[in-house]
Amino acid sequence: MLHARSTRSLCTWGFAGLAAGLVALAAPEASAAKPTNGGKRFRFHGETEPLSFTHFNPDGDGDNFNTFGFGFGRTTAIDARIAPSTWSLGFGYVFLGGNAIIGARFAFQVETTKADDAGDMMDNDTRATAIGGQLIPYFRYLFLPGKTVRPYVEGRFGVTGTTVTARDEDDTESTTSNTVGPVVGAGGGAHIFITDAFSVDAGLTFDYAAPHSRSEVTVEDTTTENDYEKDGDLLNIAAQVGFSVWF
């Protein structure tokens, strides 16, 4: 009788062990971790503004400019103050267990333009070169650690600038214009993680820029210079989309 009970007990424990093993095998599949940036230390990213409203209020006499635009791959309004850039890129360091990022976004471009004067018998052409860029350090804080969709808020402060040089073919007349100014902004949105190493990003941004310009005009041996003066105030509100690569 004791032997029969022991046999039934062994069978019971055997079935229980088999069930526990099946549950253990299925558990990783059922509780697989959702994509997030946990354990990542760096972020490489690109962004653009598919929808934006820009207001420019010039100092002194002049009309205000209000611009509304939309479209994929557009230059950002701040980048438009320099040689146009379709995408701005950035790099950041991830810390506080994946909850904070400190980094910078940047844009750089060189453009050369040639203007033909059809009415000039000497065919005196003008060539212009524009070199522009920006560097905008930022701090971003992420919420909902471990989640696939991670909201964030961001603050940023940096500088943007451009140099445009125009010179005629005879090298008797040249004009150089320099524009530089601070940029401050804030924004919020969300990272939507497709994998642990890649996310699609979307949010709203607000930026303020105060460009200052100077010029230098040379005609033969005479040069006229103007000191830096504030051009005006630029405000930009935009929907921003982009991507992030986490590693």
Side-chain angles (χ1 to χ4, degrees):
M1 191 67 178
L2 180 61
H3 178 71
R5 289 178 179 176
S6 298
T7 301
R8 287 197 297 271
S9 177
L10 288 173
C11 289
T12 301
W13 281 106
F15 282 118
L18 178 61
L22 292 174
V23 170
L25 289 174
E29 188 71 24
S31 60
K34 296 180 179 180
T36 184
N37 68 322
K40 305 301 183 182
R41 301 299 299 273
F42 301 98
R43 173 189 177 229
F44 172 77
H45 54 95
E47 50 268 320
T48 190
E49 296 176 358
L51 181 68
S52 67
F53 172 78
T54 306
H55 172 78
F56 181 69
N57 180 22
D59 278 13
D61 296 333
D63 297 329
N64 294 343
F65 290 91
N66 295 304
T67 305
F68 177 81
F70 65 94
F72 181 76
R74 298 172 59 239
T75 177
T76 66
I78 297 299
D79 292 339
R81 297 294 299 177
I82 64 173
S85 169
T86 301
W87 286 85
S88 61
L89 300 176
F91 188 81
Y93 174 73
V94 184
F95 62 107
L96 293 181
N99 295 328
I101 309 169
I102 186 169
R105 60 185 293 266
F106 56 90
F108 175 78
Q109 191 158 335
V110 178
E111 289 190 344
T112 300
T113 304
K114 178 181 178 181
D116 296 326
D117 187 356
D120 193 334
M121 295 296 293
M122 300 300 292
D123 193 23
N124 192 16
D125 300 336
T126 298
R127 298 178 182 272
T129 301
I131 302 174
Q134 67 164 237
L135 180 65
I136 312 292
Y138 67 84
F139 173 80
R140 177 171 292 191
Y141 189 84
L142 283 66
F143 302 94
L144 302 181
K147 300 296 184 180
T148 298
V149 179
R150 300 204 61 186
Y152 68 83
V153 293
E154 177 183 288
R156 51 189 175 271
F157 177 80
V159 64
T160 181
T162 184
T163 296
V164 180
T165 301
R167 189 181 303 276
D168 67 5
E169 189 179 43
D170 293 338
D171 204 21
T172 58
E173 182 176 346
S174 66
T175 301
T176 301
S177 300
N178 299 310
T179 300
V180 64
V183 178
V184 60
H191 295 283
I192 305 169
F193 287 88
I194 309 303
T195 69
D196 290 342
F198 183 84
S199 69
V200 175
D201 313 327
L204 293 174
T205 66
F206 173 83
D207 289 286
Y208 166 78
H212 291 65
S213 297
R214 68 177 295 272
S215 64
E216 179 180 298
V217 179
T218 299
V219 179
E220 295 182 347
D221 296 329
T222 303
T223 299
T224 304
E225 298 183 10
N226 295 320
D227 292 333
Y228 278 103
E229 294 184 356
K230 184 181 176 184
D231 297 331
D233 300 289
L234 185 147
L235 302 175
N236 185 63
I237 301 174
Q240 190 176 81
V241 297
F243 68 91
S244 294
V245 178
W246 308 80
F247 56 98

CSV table of all heavy atoms in Angstrom, one decimal, residues 7 13 34 58 65 71 75 99 119 134 168 191 211 219 246:
chain,number,residue,atom,x,y,z
A,7,THR,N,4.2,5.7,-5.6
A,7,THR,CA,4.2,5.7,-7.1
A,7,THR,C,3.3,6.8,-7.5
A,7,THR,O,3.7,7.6,-8.4
A,7,THR,CB,3.7,4.4,-7.6
A,7,THR,OG1,4.6,3.3,-7.2
A,7,THR,CG2,3.7,4.4,-9.2
A,13,TRP,N,4.3,14.5,-8.9
A,13,TRP,CA,5.4,15.4,-9.0
A,13,TRP,C,6.0,15.5,-10.4
A,13,TRP,O,6.5,16.5,-10.8
A,13,TRP,CB,6.5,15.0,-8.0
A,13,TRP,CG,6.1,15.5,-6.5
A,13,TRP,CD1,5.7,14.7,-5.5
A,13,TRP,CD2,6.2,16.8,-6.1
A,13,TRP,NE1,5.5,15.4,-4.4
A,13,TRP,CE2,5.8,16.7,-4.7
A,13,TRP,CE3,6.5,18.0,-6.6
A,13,TRP,CZ2,5.7,17.8,-3.9
A,13,TRP,CZ3,6.4,19.1,-5.8
A,13,TRP,CH2,6.0,19.1,-4.5
A,34,LYS,N,9.9,44.7,-24.2
A,34,LYS,CA,9.5,45.6,-25.3
A,34,LYS,C,10.7,46.4,-25.7
A,34,LYS,O,11.5,46.7,-24.9
A,34,LYS,CB,8.3,46.4,-24.9
A,34,LYS,CG,7.0,45.6,-24.6
A,34,LYS,CD,5.9,46.6,-24.2
A,34,LYS,CE,4.6,45.8,-24.0
A,34,LYS,NZ,3.5,46.7,-23.6
A,58,PRO,N,11.7,92.4,-38.1
A,58,PRO,CA,13.0,93.1,-38.3
A,58,PRO,C,13.1,94.3,-37.4
A,58,PRO,O,12.1,95.0,-37.1
A,58,PRO,CB,13.0,93.6,-39.8
A,58,PRO,CG,11.5,93.7,-40.1
A,58,PRO,CD,10.8,92.6,-39.3
A,65,PHE,N,7.5,89.4,-41.3
A,65,PHE,CA,7.3,88.3,-42.2
A,65,PHE,C,6.7,87.2,-41.5
A,65,PHE,O,7.3,86.8,-40.4
A,65,PHE,CB,8.7,87.9,-42.9
A,65,PHE,CG,9.2,88.9,-43.9
A,65,PHE,CD1,10.1,89.9,-43.4
A,65,PHE,CD2,8.9,88.8,-45.2
A,65,PHE,CE1,10.6,90.8,-44.3
A,65,PHE,CE2,9.4,89.8,-46.1
A,65,PHE,CZ,10.2,90.7,-45.7
A,71,GLY,N,5.6,70.1,-45.7
A,71,GLY,CA,6.2,69.2,-46.7
A,71,GLY,C,7.3,68.4,-46.1
A,71,GLY,O,7.9,68.7,-45.1
A,75,THR,N,13.8,72.2,-45.2
A,75,THR,CA,14.8,72.8,-44.3
A,75,THR,C,14.1,73.4,-43.0
A,75,THR,O,12.9,73.8,-43.1
A,75,THR,CB,15.5,74.0,-45.0
A,75,THR,OG1,16.4,74.6,-44.1
A,75,THR,CG2,14.6,75.0,-45.5
A,99,ASN,N,17.6,57.7,-19.0
A,99,ASN,CA,16.5,58.7,-18.8
A,99,ASN,C,16.9,60.1,-19.2
A,99,ASN,O,16.0,61.0,-19.3
A,99,ASN,CB,16.0,58.7,-17.4
A,99,ASN,CG,15.4,57.4,-16.9
A,99,ASN,OD1,14.8,56.7,-17.7
A,99,ASN,ND2,15.6,57.0,-15.7
A,119,GLY,N,23.1,91.6,-69.9
A,119,GLY,CA,23.1,92.9,-70.5
A,119,GLY,C,24.5,93.5,-70.5
A,119,GLY,O,24.6,94.6,-71.0
A,134,GLN,N,25.4,75.6,-37.9
A,134,GLN,CA,24.9,75.9,-36.6
A,134,GLN,C,25.3,74.8,-35.6
A,134,GLN,O,25.6,73.7,-36.1
A,134,GLN,CB,23.3,75.9,-36.6
A,134,GLN,CG,22.7,74.6,-36.9
A,134,GLN,CD,21.2,74.6,-36.6
A,134,GLN,OE1,20.7,73.8,-35.8
A,134,GLN,NE2,20.4,75.6,-37.1
A,168,ASP,N,32.9,89.9,-58.4
A,168,ASP,CA,32.8,89.9,-59.9
A,168,ASP,C,33.9,89.3,-60.6
A,168,ASP,O,35.0,89.0,-60.0
A,168,ASP,CB,32.5,91.3,-60.4
A,168,ASP,CG,33.7,92.2,-60.3
A,168,ASP,OD1,34.8,91.8,-59.8
A,168,ASP,OD2,33.5,93.4,-60.5
A,191,HIS,N,9.8,59.4,-28.2
A,191,HIS,CA,10.5,58.4,-29.0
A,191,HIS,C,9.7,57.1,-29.1
A,191,HIS,O,9.2,56.6,-28.1
A,191,HIS,CB,11.8,58.0,-28.3
A,191,HIS,CG,12.8,59.2,-28.2
A,191,HIS,ND1,13.5,59.6,-29.3
A,191,HIS,CD2,13.1,60.0,-27.2
A,191,HIS,CE1,14.3,60.7,-28.9
A,191,HIS,NE2,14.0,60.9,-27.7
A,211,PRO,N,19.4,87.0,-35.0
A,211,PRO,CA,20.6,87.2,-35.9
A,211,PRO,C,21.1,88.6,-36.0
A,211,PRO,O,20.4,89.6,-35.9
A,211,PRO,CB,20.0,86.8,-37.3
A,211,PRO,CG,18.5,87.1,-37.2
A,211,PRO,CD,18.1,86.8,-35.8
A,219,VAL,N,35.2,98.2,-53.5
A,219,VAL,CA,35.2,98.6,-54.9
A,219,VAL,C,36.5,99.1,-55.3
A,219,VAL,O,36.9,100.2,-54.8
A,219,VAL,CB,34.1,99.7,-55.2
A,219,VAL,CG1,34.1,100.1,-56.6
A,219,VAL,CG2,32.7,99.2,-54.7
A,246,TRP,N,20.4,54.2,-31.5
A,246,TRP,CA,20.9,54.1,-30.1
A,246,TRP,C,21.9,53.0,-30.0
A,246,TRP,O,21.7,51.9,-30.6
A,246,TRP,CB,19.7,53.8,-29.1
A,246,TRP,CG,18.6,54.7,-29.2
A,246,TRP,CD1,17.6,54.7,-30.2
A,246,TRP,CD2,18.3,55.8,-28.4
A,246,TRP,NE1,16.7,55.7,-30.0
A,246,TRP,CE2,17.1,56.4,-28.9
A,246,TRP,CE3,18.9,56.4,-27.2
A,246,TRP,CZ2,16.5,57.5,-28.3
A,246,TRP,CZ3,18.3,57.5,-26.6
A,246,TRP,CH2,17.1,58.0,-27.1
